[in-house]
Structure formats: C-alpha cells, structure tokens
Amino acid sequence: MDNIEVYNRLKRILDERGITIYKLAKETHLNPSMFSHWKNDKYFPKKDKLETIAIYLNVSLAYLMGATDDPQEHIDEAEAKRKIEFHHKRAEEYRKKAIQLEEEAKELEEQYNQLEELTKSLTDEDLSIIKRLTKLTPEQKQLLRSLISQLENK
C-alpha cells in the first residue's frame, strides 16, 4: 500500500466507527495537521505514531499498514519496520521533488518576467518579424544564422 492508501484505510476505519480525525488526534495527543499532511502525501507518520493509532483503534499495526485484512493479525516486527521505512523514504522523495519543482517554478517565473520586460520595448514591427521567424523551417533558420554570423564578422 502506498501512503495515500494507508491513510484511506485509516479514514475508512474511522468512518465505520463514527470517529473523526479531530477526535482521534485529540484523544491520542497527535497533531491534527499531521493527518492533513498525510492525506496530501506530504508526510508519513513515524512508527510510534502509527502504533498509537493502532492501539487506540484496537487493530494491529499490520492491519493499519495494509499488510493484512485481519484487524487482529500481526506480522513480524521486521516486516512492519520495512513497510514503515518504505513509506518514510517515499515521503522524503516527494518532499525533495516538491522542493525541486518549487525552484523550477521560481526560475520559470523569473524567465517569464524577463521576457515580459523585454516585450514591453518591442514595436509592432519587431513583433511581426518575430512571428515570421517562428514560422521558418529548420533549413531557413540555419541560413539566417549563417547570414547573421557573416554580418557580425564584417
């Protein structure tokens, strides 16, 4: 099961029992925002928090993690630890990817702002020339580059 599927399993158990996330958080002394981050796949709870939730719900950690469909069946400690580590690693990968995407978005925004500033100084004639240039074939573009290069060298 992935992070979201584990969260959805928890949510299904809570719904079946008429328990809200807020009530679970309050009675287990867990931060309610943890559940929101978990739901949005930005975080995966550590083993102690998962154990607290499983104890409160009177289900096995293995059931909560989706390793079994029997709420009382337990799996060995090593298997539970492996599953939790997998989810933590995946959450960390998502955090890194989110940071990378934020950096790329900032870079694109800077490029956009630079282009916007540049286009403010262009005349209608300049824009017309640019439009025509974008319609050139690759061969025509290469020829134009050669001509420009020759003019620059004179």
Side-chain angles (χ1 to χ4, degrees), residues 43-69:
Y43 169 81
F44 191 77
K46 295 194 181 329
K47 183 180 179 199
D48 62 323
K49 290 180 173 69
L50 291 169
E51 287 175 335
T52 298
I53 294 168
I55 290 167
Y56 175 81
L57 295 172
N58 193 29
V59 298
S60 69
L61 183 57
Y63 177 74
L64 185 60
M65 296 293 297
T68 177
D69 288 327

PDB file of all heavy atoms in Angstrom, residues 43-69:
ATOM      1  N   TYR A  43       3.606  13.645   4.072  1.00  0.00           N
ATOM      2  CA  TYR A  43       4.175  13.167   5.327  1.00  0.00           C
ATOM      3  C   TYR A  43       3.673  11.752   5.547  1.00  0.00           C
ATOM      4  O   TYR A  43       2.566  11.420   5.144  1.00  0.00           O
ATOM      5  CB  TYR A  43       3.696  14.097   6.451  1.00  0.00           C
ATOM      6  CG  TYR A  43       3.989  13.604   7.854  1.00  0.00           C
ATOM      7  CD1 TYR A  43       5.240  13.784   8.409  1.00  0.00           C
ATOM      8  CD2 TYR A  43       3.021  12.960   8.603  1.00  0.00           C
ATOM      9  CE1 TYR A  43       5.517  13.343   9.690  1.00  0.00           C
ATOM     10  CE2 TYR A  43       3.289  12.514   9.888  1.00  0.00           C
ATOM     11  CZ  TYR A  43       4.539  12.707  10.424  1.00  0.00           C
ATOM     12  OH  TYR A  43       4.816  12.271  11.683  1.00  0.00           O
ATOM     13  N   PHE A  44       4.506  10.955   6.204  1.00  0.00           N
ATOM     14  CA  PHE A  44       4.044   9.643   6.645  1.00  0.00           C
ATOM     15  C   PHE A  44       4.454   9.496   8.102  1.00  0.00           C
ATOM     16  O   PHE A  44       5.619   9.695   8.436  1.00  0.00           O
ATOM     17  CB  PHE A  44       4.634   8.512   5.801  1.00  0.00           C
ATOM     18  CG  PHE A  44       3.961   7.204   6.068  1.00  0.00           C
ATOM     19  CD1 PHE A  44       2.725   6.924   5.534  1.00  0.00           C
ATOM     20  CD2 PHE A  44       4.561   6.271   6.899  1.00  0.00           C
ATOM     21  CE1 PHE A  44       2.095   5.725   5.794  1.00  0.00           C
ATOM     22  CE2 PHE A  44       3.932   5.062   7.171  1.00  0.00           C
ATOM     23  CZ  PHE A  44       2.696   4.800   6.612  1.00  0.00           C
ATOM     24  N   PRO A  45       3.505   9.178   8.989  1.00  0.00           N
ATOM     25  CA  PRO A  45       3.803   9.120  10.424  1.00  0.00           C
ATOM     26  C   PRO A  45       4.883   8.106  10.773  1.00  0.00           C
ATOM     27  O   PRO A  45       5.009   7.065  10.145  1.00  0.00           O
ATOM     28  CB  PRO A  45       2.468   8.703  11.050  1.00  0.00           C
ATOM     29  CG  PRO A  45       1.437   9.024  10.032  1.00  0.00           C
ATOM     30  CD  PRO A  45       2.111   8.886   8.696  1.00  0.00           C
ATOM     31  N   LYS A  46       5.632   8.435  11.791  1.00  0.00           N
ATOM     32  CA  LYS A  46       6.649   7.518  12.304  1.00  0.00           C
ATOM     33  C   LYS A  46       5.956   6.360  13.015  1.00  0.00           C
ATOM     34  O   LYS A  46       4.781   6.410  13.349  1.00  0.00           O
ATOM     35  CB  LYS A  46       7.585   8.268  13.249  1.00  0.00           C
ATOM     36  CG  LYS A  46       8.394   9.346  12.538  1.00  0.00           C
ATOM     37  CD  LYS A  46       9.528   9.823  13.390  1.00  0.00           C
ATOM     38  CE  LYS A  46      10.374  10.895  12.805  1.00  0.00           C
ATOM     39  NZ  LYS A  46      10.584  10.995  11.415  1.00  0.00           N
ATOM     40  N   LYS A  47       6.737   5.299  13.260  1.00  0.00           N
ATOM     41  CA  LYS A  47       6.190   4.059  13.817  1.00  0.00           C
ATOM     42  C   LYS A  47       5.470   4.287  15.149  1.00  0.00           C
ATOM     43  O   LYS A  47       4.392   3.722  15.368  1.00  0.00           O
ATOM     44  CB  LYS A  47       7.303   3.031  13.988  1.00  0.00           C
ATOM     45  CG  LYS A  47       6.787   1.702  14.488  1.00  0.00           C
ATOM     46  CD  LYS A  47       7.892   0.703  14.661  1.00  0.00           C
ATOM     47  CE  LYS A  47       7.301  -0.595  15.195  1.00  0.00           C
ATOM     48  NZ  LYS A  47       8.295  -1.442  15.786  1.00  0.00           N
ATOM     49  N   ASP A  48       6.027   5.136  16.016  1.00  0.00           N
ATOM     50  CA  ASP A  48       5.380   5.328  17.323  1.00  0.00           C
ATOM     51  C   ASP A  48       3.987   5.943  17.172  1.00  0.00           C
ATOM     52  O   ASP A  48       3.054   5.581  17.883  1.00  0.00           O
ATOM     53  CB  ASP A  48       6.262   6.174  18.248  1.00  0.00           C
ATOM     54  CG  ASP A  48       6.530   7.572  17.729  1.00  0.00           C
ATOM     55  OD1 ASP A  48       6.699   7.746  16.505  1.00  0.00           O
ATOM     56  OD2 ASP A  48       6.582   8.501  18.563  1.00  0.00           O
ATOM     57  N   LYS A  49       3.829   6.835  16.205  1.00  0.00           N
ATOM     58  CA  LYS A  49       2.510   7.448  15.986  1.00  0.00           C
ATOM     59  C   LYS A  49       1.539   6.427  15.382  1.00  0.00           C
ATOM     60  O   LYS A  49       0.370   6.378  15.753  1.00  0.00           O
ATOM     61  CB  LYS A  49       2.654   8.675  15.095  1.00  0.00           C
ATOM     62  CG  LYS A  49       3.360   9.825  15.795  1.00  0.00           C
ATOM     63  CD  LYS A  49       3.485  11.024  14.885  1.00  0.00           C
ATOM     64  CE  LYS A  49       4.036  12.229  15.607  1.00  0.00           C
ATOM     65  NZ  LYS A  49       5.402  12.163  16.006  1.00  0.00           N
ATOM     66  N   LEU A  50       2.047   5.612  14.458  1.00  0.00           N
ATOM     67  CA  LEU A  50       1.194   4.575  13.876  1.00  0.00           C
ATOM     68  C   LEU A  50       0.768   3.570  14.942  1.00  0.00           C
ATOM     69  O   LEU A  50      -0.385   3.123  14.953  1.00  0.00           O
ATOM     70  CB  LEU A  50       1.937   3.869  12.743  1.00  0.00           C
ATOM     71  CG  LEU A  50       2.190   4.720  11.490  1.00  0.00           C
ATOM     72  CD1 LEU A  50       3.159   4.013  10.560  1.00  0.00           C
ATOM     73  CD2 LEU A  50       0.884   5.019  10.772  1.00  0.00           C
ATOM     74  N   GLU A  51       1.693   3.223  15.820  1.00  0.00           N
ATOM     75  CA  GLU A  51       1.354   2.294  16.906  1.00  0.00           C
ATOM     76  C   GLU A  51       0.311   2.907  17.828  1.00  0.00           C
ATOM     77  O   GLU A  51      -0.616   2.221  18.274  1.00  0.00           O
ATOM     78  CB  GLU A  51       2.610   1.910  17.683  1.00  0.00           C
ATOM     79  CG  GLU A  51       3.504   0.968  16.905  1.00  0.00           C
ATOM     80  CD  GLU A  51       4.830   0.669  17.612  1.00  0.00           C
ATOM     81  OE1 GLU A  51       5.288   1.496  18.428  1.00  0.00           O
ATOM     82  OE2 GLU A  51       5.406  -0.386  17.313  1.00  0.00           O
ATOM     83  N   THR A  52       0.436   4.199  18.116  1.00  0.00           N
ATOM     84  CA  THR A  52      -0.541   4.886  18.969  1.00  0.00           C
ATOM     85  C   THR A  52      -1.924   4.814  18.330  1.00  0.00           C
ATOM     86  O   THR A  52      -2.921   4.534  19.009  1.00  0.00           O
ATOM     87  CB  THR A  52      -0.127   6.361  19.172  1.00  0.00           C
ATOM     88  OG1 THR A  52       1.140   6.389  19.838  1.00  0.00           O
ATOM     89  CG2 THR A  52      -1.152   7.114  19.988  1.00  0.00           C
ATOM     90  N   ILE A  53      -1.988   5.057  17.023  1.00  0.00           N
ATOM     91  CA  ILE A  53      -3.266   5.000  16.302  1.00  0.00           C
ATOM     92  C   ILE A  53      -3.828   3.579  16.327  1.00  0.00           C
ATOM     93  O   ILE A  53      -5.013   3.377  16.612  1.00  0.00           O
ATOM     94  CB  ILE A  53      -3.084   5.493  14.851  1.00  0.00           C
ATOM     95  CG1 ILE A  53      -2.728   6.979  14.836  1.00  0.00           C
ATOM     96  CG2 ILE A  53      -4.338   5.223  14.020  1.00  0.00           C
ATOM     97  CD1 ILE A  53      -2.240   7.496  13.495  1.00  0.00           C
ATOM     98  N   ALA A  54      -2.976   2.582  16.057  1.00  0.00           N
ATOM     99  CA  ALA A  54      -3.430   1.183  16.045  1.00  0.00           C
ATOM    100  C   ALA A  54      -3.950   0.766  17.416  1.00  0.00           C
ATOM    101  O   ALA A  54      -4.996   0.115  17.515  1.00  0.00           O
ATOM    102  CB  ALA A  54      -2.287   0.270  15.596  1.00  0.00           C
ATOM    103  N   ILE A  55      -3.252   1.162  18.471  1.00  0.00           N
ATOM    104  CA  ILE A  55      -3.699   0.822  19.836  1.00  0.00           C
ATOM    105  C   ILE A  55      -5.038   1.476  20.124  1.00  0.00           C
ATOM    106  O   ILE A  55      -5.954   0.843  20.639  1.00  0.00           O
ATOM    107  CB  ILE A  55      -2.626   1.227  20.868  1.00  0.00           C
ATOM    108  CG1 ILE A  55      -1.404   0.318  20.735  1.00  0.00           C
ATOM    109  CG2 ILE A  55      -3.192   1.193  22.291  1.00  0.00           C
ATOM    110  CD1 ILE A  55      -0.170   0.805  21.483  1.00  0.00           C
ATOM    111  N   TYR A  56      -5.169   2.752  19.777  1.00  0.00           N
ATOM    112  CA  TYR A  56      -6.424   3.468  20.024  1.00  0.00           C
ATOM    113  C   TYR A  56      -7.588   2.789  19.304  1.00  0.00           C
ATOM    114  O   TYR A  56      -8.676   2.654  19.845  1.00  0.00           O
ATOM    115  CB  TYR A  56      -6.299   4.931  19.568  1.00  0.00           C
ATOM    116  CG  TYR A  56      -7.591   5.686  19.679  1.00  0.00           C
ATOM    117  CD1 TYR A  56      -8.019   6.210  20.903  1.00  0.00           C
ATOM    118  CD2 TYR A  56      -8.404   5.883  18.562  1.00  0.00           C
ATOM    119  CE1 TYR A  56      -9.220   6.898  21.002  1.00  0.00           C
ATOM    120  CE2 TYR A  56      -9.603   6.564  18.653  1.00  0.00           C
ATOM    121  CZ  TYR A  56     -10.010   7.072  19.882  1.00  0.00           C
ATOM    122  OH  TYR A  56     -11.208   7.745  19.978  1.00  0.00           O
ATOM    123  N   LEU A  57      -7.331   2.330  18.061  1.00  0.00           N
ATOM    124  CA  LEU A  57      -8.393   1.709  17.266  1.00  0.00           C
ATOM    125  C   LEU A  57      -8.546   0.218  17.546  1.00  0.00           C
ATOM    126  O   LEU A  57      -9.442  -0.426  16.997  1.00  0.00           O
ATOM    127  CB  LEU A  57      -8.104   1.927  15.773  1.00  0.00           C
ATOM    128  CG  LEU A  57      -8.145   3.384  15.302  1.00  0.00           C
ATOM    129  CD1 LEU A  57      -7.655   3.491  13.861  1.00  0.00           C
ATOM    130  CD2 LEU A  57      -9.540   3.964  15.442  1.00  0.00           C
ATOM    131  N   ASN A  58      -7.654  -0.324  18.382  1.00  0.00           N
ATOM    132  CA  ASN A  58      -7.672  -1.740  18.722  1.00  0.00           C
ATOM    133  C   ASN A  58      -7.541  -2.612  17.469  1.00  0.00           C
ATOM    134  O   ASN A  58      -8.282  -3.570  17.258  1.00  0.00           O
ATOM    135  CB  ASN A  58      -8.919  -2.122  19.522  1.00  0.00           C
ATOM    136  CG  ASN A  58      -8.784  -3.502  20.143  1.00  0.00           C
ATOM    137  OD1 ASN A  58      -7.690  -3.955  20.457  1.00  0.00           O
ATOM    138  ND2 ASN A  58      -9.917  -4.190  20.287  1.00  0.00           N
ATOM    139  N   VAL A  59      -6.575  -2.247  16.617  1.00  0.00           N
ATOM    140  CA  VAL A  59      -6.247  -3.039  15.438  1.00  0.00           C
ATOM    141  C   VAL A  59      -4.738  -3.246  15.445  1.00  0.00           C
ATOM    142  O   VAL A  59      -3.999  -2.520  16.109  1.00  0.00           O
ATOM    143  CB  VAL A  59      -6.678  -2.367  14.111  1.00  0.00           C
ATOM    144  CG1 VAL A  59      -8.181  -2.188  14.060  1.00  0.00           C
ATOM    145  CG2 VAL A  59      -5.970  -1.045  13.888  1.00  0.00           C
ATOM    146  N   SER A  60      -4.290  -4.219  14.692  1.00  0.00           N
ATOM    147  CA  SER A  60      -2.847  -4.439  14.614  1.00  0.00           C
ATOM    148  C   SER A  60      -2.221  -3.396  13.698  1.00  0.00           C
ATOM    149  O   SER A  60      -2.882  -2.828  12.810  1.00  0.00           O
ATOM    150  CB  SER A  60      -2.535  -5.842  14.078  1.00  0.00           C
ATOM    151  OG  SER A  60      -2.887  -5.940  12.717  1.00  0.00           O
ATOM    152  N   LEU A  61      -0.955  -3.138  13.931  1.00  0.00           N
ATOM    153  CA  LEU A  61      -0.206  -2.235  13.062  1.00  0.00           C
ATOM    154  C   LEU A  61      -0.182  -2.796  11.636  1.00  0.00           C
ATOM    155  O   LEU A  61      -0.294  -2.047  10.664  1.00  0.00           O
ATOM    156  CB  LEU A  61       1.215  -2.050  13.599  1.00  0.00           C
ATOM    157  CG  LEU A  61       2.117  -1.085  12.841  1.00  0.00           C
ATOM    158  CD1 LEU A  61       1.502   0.299  12.748  1.00  0.00           C
ATOM    159  CD2 LEU A  61       3.481  -1.010  13.511  1.00  0.00           C
ATOM    160  N   ALA A  62      -0.095  -4.112  11.520  1.00  0.00           N
ATOM    161  CA  ALA A  62      -0.087  -4.761  10.205  1.00  0.00           C
ATOM    162  C   ALA A  62      -1.382  -4.468   9.449  1.00  0.00           C
ATOM    163  O   ALA A  62      -1.361  -4.205   8.246  1.00  0.00           O
ATOM    164  CB  ALA A  62       0.100  -6.267  10.359  1.00  0.00           C
ATOM    165  N   TYR A  63      -2.500  -4.479  10.157  1.00  0.00           N
ATOM    166  CA  TYR A  63      -3.784  -4.173   9.524  1.00  0.00           C
ATOM    167  C   TYR A  63      -3.837  -2.716   9.087  1.00  0.00           C
ATOM    168  O   TYR A  63      -4.224  -2.396   7.968  1.00  0.00           O
ATOM    169  CB  TYR A  63      -4.932  -4.482  10.485  1.00  0.00           C
ATOM    170  CG  TYR A  63      -6.291  -4.126   9.945  1.00  0.00           C
ATOM    171  CD1 TYR A  63      -6.887  -4.904   8.952  1.00  0.00           C
ATOM    172  CD2 TYR A  63      -6.980  -3.009  10.401  1.00  0.00           C
ATOM    173  CE1 TYR A  63      -8.138  -4.585   8.442  1.00  0.00           C
ATOM    174  CE2 TYR A  63      -8.229  -2.685   9.892  1.00  0.00           C
ATOM    175  CZ  TYR A  63      -8.796  -3.473   8.918  1.00  0.00           C
ATOM    176  OH  TYR A  63     -10.037  -3.151   8.407  1.00  0.00           O
ATOM    177  N   LEU A  64      -3.419  -1.832   9.959  1.00  0.00           N
ATOM    178  CA  LEU A  64      -3.421  -0.406   9.651  1.00  0.00           C
ATOM    179  C   LEU A  64      -2.551  -0.109   8.421  1.00  0.00           C
ATOM    180  O   LEU A  64      -2.900   0.692   7.572  1.00  0.00           O
ATOM    181  CB  LEU A  64      -2.923   0.402  10.852  1.00  0.00           C
ATOM    182  CG  LEU A  64      -2.971   1.920  10.720  1.00  0.00           C
ATOM    183  CD1 LEU A  64      -4.394   2.415  10.496  1.00  0.00           C
ATOM    184  CD2 LEU A  64      -2.387   2.559  11.978  1.00  0.00           C
ATOM    185  N   MET A  65      -1.421  -0.827   8.302  1.00  0.00           N
ATOM    186  CA  MET A  65      -0.485  -0.611   7.196  1.00  0.00           C
ATOM    187  C   MET A  65      -0.897  -1.344   5.916  1.00  0.00           C
ATOM    188  O   MET A  65      -0.261  -1.213   4.888  1.00  0.00           O
ATOM    189  CB  MET A  65       0.921  -1.079   7.598  1.00  0.00           C
ATOM    190  CG  MET A  65       1.530  -0.303   8.739  1.00  0.00           C
ATOM    191  SD  MET A  65       1.875   1.385   8.295  1.00  0.00           S
ATOM    192  CE  MET A  65       3.068   1.136   7.015  1.00  0.00           C
ATOM    193  N   GLY A  66      -1.967  -2.147   5.997  1.00  0.00           N
ATOM    194  CA  GLY A  66      -2.437  -2.846   4.810  1.00  0.00           C
ATOM    195  C   GLY A  66      -1.727  -4.146   4.516  1.00  0.00           C
ATOM    196  O   GLY A  66      -1.861  -4.701   3.426  1.00  0.00           O
ATOM    197  N   ALA A  67      -0.962  -4.651   5.480  1.00  0.00           N
ATOM    198  CA  ALA A  67      -0.245  -5.904   5.270  1.00  0.00           C
ATOM    199  C   ALA A  67      -1.159  -7.113   5.454  1.00  0.00           C
ATOM    200  O   ALA A  67      -0.819  -8.221   5.044  1.00  0.00           O
ATOM    201  CB  ALA A  67       0.935  -6.001   6.230  1.00  0.00           C
ATOM    202  N   THR A  68      -2.305  -6.891   6.076  1.00  0.00           N
ATOM    203  CA  THR A  68      -3.272  -7.963   6.290  1.00  0.00           C
ATOM    204  C   THR A  68      -4.672  -7.352   6.300  1.00  0.00           C
ATOM    205  O   THR A  68      -4.841  -6.171   6.582  1.00  0.00           O
ATOM    206  CB  THR A  68      -3.004  -8.708   7.616  1.00  0.00           C
ATOM    207  OG1 THR A  68      -4.017  -9.700   7.792  1.00  0.00           O
ATOM    208  CG2 THR A  68      -3.029  -7.776   8.804  1.00  0.00           C
ATOM    209  N   ASP A  69      -5.667  -8.180   6.005  1.00  0.00           N
ATOM    210  CA  ASP A  69      -7.050  -7.718   6.064  1.00  0.00           C
ATOM    211  C   ASP A  69      -7.721  -8.109   7.378  1.00  0.00           C
ATOM    212  O   ASP A  69      -8.881  -7.797   7.605  1.00  0.00           O
ATOM    213  CB  ASP A  69      -7.844  -8.269   4.874  1.00  0.00           C
ATOM    214  CG  ASP A  69      -7.440  -7.603   3.567  1.00  0.00           C
ATOM    215  OD1 ASP A  69      -7.083  -6.402   3.599  1.00  0.00           O
ATOM    216  OD2 ASP A  69      -7.475  -8.271   2.520  1.00  0.00           O
TER     217      ASP A  69
END
